[in-house]
Amino acid sequence: MEEKNTPQREDKGHQIVVVNENTGAQPPEKFTGLKRKKPKENSAGLPAVATALGHANRYLNKGDAAKLMFRINQKGGFDCPGCAWPDPDDDRSRLGEYCENGIKAISEEAQNKTIGADFFARHTVAEMRGWSDFELGKQGRLAEPLVLRPGAEHYTPISWEDAFALIGKELQALPSPDEAVFYTSGRTSNEAAFMYQLFVREYGTNNLPDCSNMCHESSGVALTETLGIGKGSVTLADLHQAELIIIMGQNPGTNHPRMLNALEKCKANGGKIISINPLPEAGLVKFTNPQKPGKLLKGGTALTDLFLPVKINGDVALLKAIMSLLLYQEKSKPGTAFDMEFITEKTAGYEAFVSDLQRYDFNTLTEAAGVPRALIKQAAEIIRKAEKIIVCWAMGLTQHENGVENIREIVNLLLLKGAIGKPGAGTCPVRGHSNVQGDRTMGIWEAPKAEFLNKLEETFGFAPPRHHGYATVDAIQAMHQGKAKVFIGMGGNFLSATPDTEYTAEALRRCRLTVQVSTKLNRSHLIHGQQALILPCLGRTDRDIQESGEQFVSTENSMGVVQLSKGVLRPPSKHLRSEPAIVAGMAQATLGSRSRIDWAAWTRNYDLVRDAIEQVIPGFSAYNERVRQPGGFYLPNSAREQEFTTPGQRALFTVNPAPQWNLKPGEFLMMTIRSHDQFNTTIYGLDDRYRGIYQERRVVLMNAEDMKASGLKEQQVVDLHSEYQGTQRTARQFMVISYPIPRQCVATYFPEANVLIPVDAYAPKSKTPISKSVIIRVTPAEVTTP
């Protein structure tokens, strides 16, 4: 295949970029009244129940709330639009298979008010830019298609036919299909995703960036290189059986709360948990299962047996320090630390890996990791004794320049222990959005494999493009440089999800047309091209009635289970269309009679889409029959069977350098994080309950000793600055607060701090932005009074 057509990076000189009114992400005139409490040491329990019910009561109709709670994540029900954590294969709780943030998600999606022509006639785009992300999301469900004409200040209604015609006209007018960008969010169903990529490739481009480019792309690259498959190898049952679960760079209590049930079962079965993270997180300290009255009375289950407070991006150094101790033990007493039979029979590269590992000094590694020697030795001994080991991770490991190497080093540890492809052991990248893994399976990828494209050509009779398209950062640069002129977003909030906010905003403004397929208002509707469309779609909670009858869609969870999802509520507006219907409308208007696909028939009956998927994608035989079975079905997973589909048919050890951070005085390494009142870019509220931070999001978490050394006081207002390749970026007016975080490390919420992340700083192989390791300076703000 040809290499990717990557735009040239622009030299922006010494430009100073400041968060400002252009994107609406400007600093507040005054802060909302920050309140601090002691961080929690217990998660879920009655406070989570009360918070969930409060959101449901505030935003949902009463009858709808009950109906949703008893059908979310149930067999034959609808898949939560939040995270991708799997549902139990066996019987599911009659009390509800949901968490606090799942209820927040459906309360946001199925909220009891709508916004249409009257709303947009009252509010200009410029006015709405000044609203917070929280305020934007709470205005209500989008009720009808809307257009923003060139030079207009208000969105106005447009018919579906005229909207599709406008899209078709603009796409047809482009000199090359590669001048259009087709973005996908992880919420998009399998059916819509397959139709979307098929439309885009029949149109003539592979410009299919998606949200995985910004989160777990590093995982996919690393796992494919080392094990031959870019997905995790474990099932939910494996977590229950594990002797040891290592959780790295992940905060499940906030981002994947139902994972805590699996950790509780592991502990009940005698397993141990090591958590590795710069911040202590309540969800990994203790979990009080609200569905178990006994646990409520006794105060919950202690989860973490050993916490390693690693420095930001000190994970490779930490893993090398642990593996150095294991190597010493194995040499001293062969067979007591490594699974040499597995290594000999199933792997390659062991000798080169060991040779490289021996070059490192243990004391240097511990200093780079920032973890006390005694704790590292405890971790090594726990790992030495365990055979069934699972490593779970999330974006705390993937969003670095060495994100791919971070994951490859995890694989090295598991290979040493023979802990892949057996019960209770393996890799567990914990995905974010609920179908982000399924979208990639369906072909949403800017760098498709030849085998996939060959199958498309064989099945549908057109020649799909072979050159690679734009990943997310490439797409932003292409729009900024005028090489891409039309942007279509299938869900998501592109501006708030991406790095370098001001640069990305300008890139979108340079487009001739921007199109957003959405359920509710977000900031990407307000930063737009010369023309803009908002196309309102059905949500997961909505019933989908088409000409042949009621339809369902399907999704793939984080562990490769494909299940159906069927909404239960009457759509809030008769003008909404399903994502498959919207894709079909765009395809018909753009491709016309030259298309080989009967888009209208596919819209009438989604079984036809699944029949097509079955013909193209391995693992989907008898798709329509198996997806209707309660709980769905598992996709094949070669690593789970110890079949490693690398070129040499063996799992590969790799050599990965430990990063060296030589920060100058006054420099800090910043990671962006979510609050507990947030899922991705959706802001549910202003309270980060577990961390004890209330009523404010523009905060920077800082070590108390660093604050003292910098001459900063608690809740002092500061500005944050980053500088890369001569370009300085500044985010104004954050409040500094002391928090237990390693020295020279700070944490901020996204999307507020995304302005500091350069678009051209990313992991080279995955192109995942460095959102978890940005060098910044912290200075007193020009305005210092809250």
Side-chain angles (χ1 to χ4, degrees):
M1 281 193 180
E2 299 178 32
E3 294 299 316
K4 293 187 181 184
N5 180 20
T6 304
Q8 296 295 312
R9 297 183 182 182
E10 294 180 292
D11 181 6
K12 294 186 283 183
H14 288 77
Q15 171 189 2
I16 296 178
V17 180
V18 181
V19 183
N20 60 34
E21 61 185 356
N22 291 334
T23 63
Q26 73 273 18
E29 294 181 3
K30 62 180 181 178
F31 286 88
T32 54
L34 171 66
K35 296 179 181 178
R36 294 291 309 279
K37 294 183 180 180
K38 182 181 178 181
K40 305 294 183 183
E41 296 183 352
N42 199 342
S43 59
L46 292 178
V49 174
T51 302
L53 293 178
H55 273 260
N57 182 62
R58 190 174 305 120
Y59 300 114
L60 296 175
N61 294 318
K62 299 298 184 293
D64 290 348
K67 189 180 296 185
L68 291 167
M69 288 181 180
F70 285 107
R71 297 305 295 160
I72 183 171
N73 295 325
Q74 296 290 350
K75 295 176 180 179
F78 68 93
D79 194 34
C80 177
C83 78
W85 190 252
D87 308 312
D89 290 334
D90 52 11
D91 292 336
R92 303 178 187 181
S93 172
R94 294 181 180 179
L95 295 177
E97 280 292 337
Y98 54 81
C99 64
E100 171 189 344
N101 279 356
I103 295 302
K104 291 177 181 176
I106 63 172
S107 298
E108 187 89 2
E109 177 179 290
Q111 53 188 294
N112 54 16
K113 57 181 179 178
T114 59
I115 53 176
D118 292 344
F119 173 89
F120 288 96
R122 291 195 306 271
H123 303 291
T124 67
V125 171
E127 175 193 354
M128 291 186 286
R129 281 196 204 110
W131 299 350
S132 69
D133 293 308
F134 172 65
E135 291 170 319
L136 289 172
K138 296 303 183 186
Q139 296 304 314
R141 283 286 297 273
L142 293 162
E144 58 187 318
L146 299 159
V147 63
L148 187 69
R149 302 290 184 184
E153 296 182 353
H154 293 265
Y155 275 100
T156 55
I158 185 174
S159 70
W160 279 105
E161 291 71 22
D162 288 346
F164 292 144
L166 176 57
I167 294 169
K169 177 183 177 182
E170 289 292 336
L171 290 176
Q172 291 166 4
L174 295 176
S176 166
D178 288 332
E179 294 185 19
V181 171
F182 300 85
Y183 176 76
T184 312
S185 112
R187 187 202 65 199
T188 306
S189 68
N190 282 352
E191 292 77 8
F194 184 80
M195 293 174 67
Y196 193 46
Q197 65 81 27
L198 190 62
F199 154 50
V200 171
R201 292 192 167 104
E202 193 175 20
Y203 172 60
T205 184
N206 281 315
N207 286 347
L208 281 159
D210 73 322
C211 58
S212 66
N213 294 152
M214 294 175 288
C215 54
H216 270 290
E217 195 72 56
S218 296
S219 299
V221 170
L223 293 174
T224 299
E225 287 182 349
T226 56
L227 304 178
I229 182 172
K231 301 179 181 182
S233 66
V234 301
T235 67
L236 194 55
D238 287 323
L239 275 94
H240 304 160
Q241 301 172 35
E243 297 171 357
L244 173 63
I245 298 176
I246 303 173
I247 301 171
M248 303 184 67
Q250 185 198 359
N251 177 17
T254 288
N255 301 331
H256 312 90
R258 289 196 302 144
M259 179 178 172
L260 301 182
N261 290 283
L263 299 182
E264 180 185 47
K265 288 185 178 181
C266 174
K267 295 289 291 187
N269 291 333
K272 293 183 178 295
I273 295 174
I274 297 174
S275 60
I276 302 171
N277 199 52
L279 296 175
E281 301 288 11
L284 288 172
V285 177
K286 183 179 283 189
F287 168 54
T288 299
N289 192 329
Q291 296 186 348
K292 296 182 178 180
K295 296 292 184 181
L296 292 171
L297 294 174
K298 295 179 181 179
T301 300
L303 295 180
T304 293
D305 295 280
L306 181 65
F307 171 55
L308 305 182
V310 68
K311 288 181 180 179
I312 292 175
N313 201 222
D315 304 276
V316 169
L318 175 60
L319 290 170
K320 285 188 184 298
I322 291 171
M323 291 187 290
S324 294
L325 294 175
L326 294 175
L327 178 61
Y328 176 81
Q329 177 70 25
E330 181 65 22
K331 286 189 170 184
S332 302
K333 298 180 181 179
T336 60
F338 294 171
D339 186 340
M340 291 307 302
E341 181 180 354
F342 175 87
I343 291 171
T344 301
E345 294 182 359
K346 297 289 185 178
T347 75
Y350 172 74
E351 292 79 9
F353 163 76
V354 169
S355 176
D356 177 74
L357 183 61
Q358 290 175 321
R359 295 190 305 105
Y360 286 89
D361 174 69
F362 180 76
N363 293 326
T364 302
L365 291 172
T366 59
E367 182 179 353
V371 178
R373 292 164 53 98
L375 294 182
I376 295 176
K377 290 180 178 180
Q378 287 183 49
E381 183 60 14
I382 294 172
I383 293 169
R384 184 190 70 80
K385 292 179 178 179
E387 295 183 359
K388 298 179 178 180
I389 303 173
I390 292 174
V391 182
C392 303
W393 70 89
M395 287 176 282
L397 265 68
T398 63
Q399 291 182 328
H400 302 274
E401 187 173 347
N402 70 323
V404 173
E405 289 80 1
N406 283 339
I407 311 312
R408 296 198 316 187
E409 202 71 356
I410 288 174
V411 173
N412 284 339
L413 174 61
L414 292 171
L415 293 181
L416 290 176
K417 298 296 297 180
I420 294 179
K422 64 183 182 184
T427 57
C428 185
V430 184
R431 308 281 179 176
H433 221 152
S434 61
N435 198 41
V436 64
Q437 185 161 299
D439 288 346
R440 179 57 55 86
T441 301
M442 293 296 107
I444 299 294
W445 194 17
E446 78 282 357
K449 293 182 179 180
E451 296 83 356
F452 177 80
L453 297 178
N454 292 343
K455 203 66 180 175
L456 287 183
E457 185 167 5
E458 174 189 325
T459 304
F460 298 106
F462 71 88
R466 298 283 167 162
H467 59 280
H468 289 181
Y470 295 140
T472 296
V473 293
D474 298 329
I476 295 168
Q477 291 177 309
M479 290 186 289
H480 200 279
Q481 296 169 18
K483 295 180 180 179
K485 300 179 180 67
V486 173
F487 174 88
I488 298 176
M490 182 57 63
N493 181 358
F494 187 79
L495 177 68
S496 295
T498 49
D500 220 339
T501 309
E502 292 299 317
Y503 184 88
T504 301
E506 183 58 29
L508 290 168
R509 289 193 183 98
R510 294 182 182 185
C511 290
R512 283 173 24 184
L513 174 67
T514 51
V515 181
Q516 306 288 346
V517 179
S518 307
T519 57
K520 56 188 179 59
L521 193 63
N522 66 53
R523 194 160 303 282
S524 295
H525 302 137
L526 311 176
I527 305 299
H528 50 78
Q530 296 170 25
Q531 297 184 87
L533 287 169
I534 300 175
L535 305 182
C537 66
L538 298 175
R540 291 271 180 85
T541 55
D542 299 323
R543 297 179 65 193
D544 183 353
I545 310 295
Q546 300 296 335
E547 189 173 324
S548 70
E550 187 164 4
Q551 305 296 308
F552 66 85
V553 294
S554 56
T555 60
E556 178 186 344
N557 66 35
S558 194
M559 294 180 182
V561 177
V562 177
Q563 68 271 308
L564 66 81
S565 178
K566 190 173 184 179
V568 297
L569 299 182
R570 181 179 179 179
S573 167
K574 65 180 181 180
H575 300 296
L576 305 187
R577 292 197 180 183
S578 70
E579 286 182 327
I582 292 172
V583 173
M586 291 191 293
Q588 289 171 302
T590 303
L591 303 175
S593 60
R594 77 178 176 94
S595 179
R596 302 295 185 91
I597 291 92
D598 189 344
W599 300 101
W602 283 17
T603 302
R604 290 192 294 269
N605 186 348
Y606 300 169
D607 278 356
L608 300 179
V609 184
R610 288 183 284 270
D611 286 340
I613 293 171
E614 180 179 336
Q615 294 179 63
V616 173
I617 302 175
F620 284 86
S621 60
Y623 191 0
N624 273 306
E625 292 75 21
R626 291 195 293 157
V627 78
R628 285 175 163 87
Q629 296 173 1
F633 61 93
Y634 279 89
L635 290 174
N637 189 299
S638 54
R640 193 175 292 159
E641 306 300 324
Q642 290 193 356
E643 296 176 2
F644 303 114
T645 55
T646 60
Q649 303 299 302
R650 285 173 173 259
L652 301 181
F653 283 95
T654 52
V655 173
N656 307 295
Q660 294 183 340
W661 291 96
N662 298 310
L663 298 177
K664 300 174 184 177
E667 289 185 338
F668 300 90
L669 207 54
M670 180 194 79
M671 64 178 185
T672 59
I673 59 176
R674 298 178 189 170
S675 83
H676 191 63
D677 251 357
Q678 173 180 4
F679 179 74
N680 293 342
T681 60
T682 300
I683 311 302
Y684 300 132
L686 301 178
D687 296 339
D688 195 353
R689 190 174 78 247
Y690 288 166
R691 297 190 184 107
I693 302 168
Y694 294 80
Q695 291 303 301
E696 186 54 65
R697 290 185 52 84
R698 297 186 74 86
V699 295
V700 53
L701 282 58
M702 197 171 188
N703 184 286
E705 292 299 315
D706 284 333
M707 290 174 59
K708 182 178 179 181
S710 301
L712 299 173
K713 298 179 181 179
E714 187 75 22
Q715 299 189 25
Q716 182 172 342
V717 182
V718 297
D719 294 338
L720 310 180
H721 315 270
S722 70
E723 185 171 344
Y724 285 81
Q725 298 187 14
T727 298
Q728 179 174 309
R729 298 163 176 83
T730 297
R732 299 289 189 200
Q733 296 193 37
F734 283 67
M735 297 182 76
V736 61
I737 59 176
S738 59
Y739 207 83
I741 187 172
R743 295 291 303 270
Q744 290 190 290
C745 298
V746 298
T748 55
Y749 298 131
F750 79 89
E752 286 81 356
N754 284 2
V755 68
L756 298 169
I757 305 167
V759 71
D760 51 5
Y762 47 73
K765 291 184 177 181
S766 66
K767 297 198 172 179
T768 299
I770 60 166
S771 304
K772 293 291 189 290
S773 52
V774 182
I775 298 174
I776 69 165
R777 293 179 296 107
V778 181
T779 63
E782 296 177 3
V783 179
T784 57
T785 303

